[in-house]
Amino acid sequence: MASSTTTSNPTTPSLSLPPSQFARLQPHAYLLAHLSPPPASNQPSIRANGRAASQFRVTSANAGSLTHTNGSAVVRIGDTAAVCGVRAEILHTKDIASWSVLQASSEQNFDKSNEAGVSESQDEEDKGHIQDLNLLVPNVSLSTGCAPGFTPGAPPSALAQSLSHQILSLLHTTRLVRADDLRIWHQPPNLDSEEFRNAGEGMDVDTEEGGGPEREIKAFWVLYIDVMIISLAGNPFDAAWASVLAALRDTKLPKAWWDADNETILCSDDVADAQKLSLRGLPVSSSFCSFEGDAAAGWRAVVIPDAEKQKQKKGAQQRWILADPDGYEEGLSQERASVVVDKENGKTVIVKMEKHGGWAVDSDDLRQLVDVSAQRWDEMKRILDQC
């Protein structure tokens, strides 16, 4: 009797990969799969980190975190965290080699005012003193362990130097700090007045007399703005600039005056006498990157004349502008944009706009980025007001 035998086909091993490995092996395809899901899946277009294209990461701020500074703040945007400390030092005019030249070419009578509107001549004087005398000195450092690429004992990276230059440029462009807040005045006594005979100590910096000699600038406050990135997970500039904003809003300068007897500057130890900086506005930076579904689409359009028509026939979206990119998205994007806006009387004011790395982002896209940046300004103002 013949025996019947049954044969079974061996099971084909699965070739699927977990998402974490797929993201490392094919990062571009992994992000594209999230942004452009199949129509049959009925899934929304979201980024690999779960955010929408125009959504920023969760942001928090805490002011006054450092004890031995005039102002400090810690800002965290997602997993990117920055600590900023502001330290004020006195710069005597006698130690400025070009002070006589600057003094001769400028007006001698300054009107100290905290009003928002200032004359054009005073704006130029503020710009000259702050920039020519380097009264604002920002420095950004990337701490060891903030990212795998930063090792102990390494020299300052190109990224740290670039961030320092960007912050300094934005401080000068926005005229955020008023030069009059950094000036230490002295009112020479009127030798013909009766008050001079009964005067005891030196005049205060805020003392003004009519009919006497014009007051003089004896020294300046120099603000050393040190920013340390303690955790880097993409978009370090927005976090660094937000920490600078929060720290400057927290900065208090001691009451200082010129002591004519000792010919030096004295400062009050009373914290109640310290004054905050009267900043100009609240310029908020928002960064974006452009992710191309076809990384070579821009170059192909130059070589193949009908490449744009073929792309339109497909009907699928080929480019996404991502707000507040993380480190994973920055590595997959070549074109980036930065928009700095402020609001005056409810109107959005474009302070600065930069775009580099490509030509995919056009004027219509920039208008949309301004609208997104205006919404980001409202969110950042609420966060900074609460810290």
Side-chain angles (χ1 to χ4, degrees):
M1 182 176 179
S3 60
S4 60
T5 59
T6 59
T7 60
S8 59
N9 296 328
T11 304
T12 304
S14 176
L15 297 179
S16 61
L17 296 175
S20 59
Q21 294 185 12
F22 183 42
R24 293 181 180 180
L25 295 175
Q26 295 292 335
H28 188 275
Y30 181 74
L31 181 56
L32 180 61
H34 283 79
L35 293 174
S36 181
S41 63
N42 295 326
Q43 294 182 357
S45 174
I46 59 174
R47 295 146 77 169
N49 49 35
R51 291 184 288 149
S54 60
Q55 184 178 359
F56 291 79
R57 289 175 290 181
V58 178
T59 304
S60 61
N62 184 23
S65 304
L66 304 180
T67 304
H68 303 289
T69 58
N70 295 89
S72 62
V74 178
V75 172
R76 190 178 187 93
I77 301 179
D79 290 333
T80 300
V83 181
C84 178
V86 179
R87 188 69 180 264
E89 299 290 343
I90 294 177
L91 173 64
H92 291 265
T93 54
K94 62 182 180 181
D95 297 330
I96 303 175
S98 60
W99 174 243
S100 58
V101 178
L102 292 174
Q103 193 177 23
S105 61
S106 62
E107 298 179 357
Q108 299 299 315
N109 187 17
F110 294 94
D111 183 17
K112 186 175 182 180
S113 174
N114 291 328
E115 298 179 0
V118 292
S119 63
E120 183 178 354
S121 60
Q122 188 172 352
D123 286 350
E124 291 297 327
E125 194 66 34
D126 285 6
K127 179 180 178 181
H129 279 174
I130 289 180
Q131 295 190 21
D132 295 342
L133 302 179
N134 295 322
L135 301 183
L136 302 178
V137 186
N139 179 58
V140 179
S141 60
L142 299 168
S143 63
T144 301
C146 68
F150 299 94
T151 58
S157 62
L159 176 59
Q161 299 180 42
S162 175
L163 291 174
S164 300
H165 177 73
Q166 292 181 56
I167 291 177
L168 178 61
S169 176
L170 192 54
L171 285 171
H172 290 166
T173 301
T174 59
R175 297 183 294 110
L176 181 63
V177 180
R178 301 177 187 270
D180 210 31
D181 290 340
L182 306 180
R183 299 183 181 117
I184 300 178
W185 295 90
H186 170 63
Q187 177 66 54
N190 188 356
L191 301 180
D192 297 332
S193 65
E194 184 178 354
E195 295 181 358
F196 174 73
R197 304 185 185 94
N198 301 327
E201 299 181 355
M203 302 295 292
D204 188 87
V205 291
D206 295 330
T207 303
E208 296 184 6
E209 292 184 0
E214 295 180 351
R215 58 178 184 167
E216 305 171 354
I217 300 176
K218 288 296 185 178
F220 291 91
W221 287 108
V222 180
L223 301 184
Y224 292 91
I225 307 171
D226 293 322
V227 181
M228 176 175 288
I229 306 294
I230 58 177
S231 178
L232 178 58
N235 194 12
F237 178 73
D238 284 3
W241 176 250
S243 67
V244 171
L245 274 180
L248 289 176
R249 286 162 61 96
D250 181 62
T251 298
K252 292 183 179 180
L253 298 180
K255 183 179 181 180
W257 65 91
W258 172 257
D259 188 345
D261 295 334
N262 297 320
E263 295 186 351
T264 187
I265 299 294
L266 299 181
C267 298
S268 173
D269 294 333
D270 192 353
V271 180
D273 293 337
Q275 293 185 352
K276 282 193 171 184
L277 298 176
S278 54
L279 303 179
R280 288 189 177 97
L282 184 68
V284 174
S285 172
S286 301
S287 298
F288 306 86
C289 72
S290 176
F291 175 75
E292 298 285 343
D294 185 357
W299 302 100
R300 188 178 293 108
V302 179
V303 180
I304 305 176
D306 59 344
E308 186 67 23
K309 296 181 180 179
Q310 295 179 4
K311 184 176 68 174
Q312 294 177 357
K313 290 181 180 179
K314 295 181 180 179
Q317 185 176 355
Q318 298 295 321
R319 178 171 55 86
W320 294 264
I321 299 180
L322 309 179
D324 185 22
D326 56 21
Y328 186 80
E329 295 167 341
E330 285 183 342
L332 301 175
S333 305
Q334 295 183 352
E335 186 172 6
R336 301 178 186 179
S338 177
V339 181
V340 181
V341 299
D342 200 350
K343 286 192 175 182
E344 297 179 0
N345 300 324
K347 296 183 179 180
T348 302
V349 178
I350 301 176
V351 179
K352 190 175 183 180
M353 181 181 295
E354 293 181 348
K355 186 178 76 71
H356 56 87
W359 54 75
V361 179
D362 54 17
S363 58
D364 294 334
D365 295 329
L366 292 177
R367 293 189 185 94
Q368 296 179 4
L369 297 186
V370 172
D371 295 337
V372 175
S373 300
Q375 299 176 4
R376 176 63 170 174
W377 186 92
D378 295 331
E379 180 184 0
M380 288 300 301
K381 185 178 186 303
R382 176 182 56 82
I383 294 173
L384 295 179
D385 288 343
Q386 293 177 355
C387 70

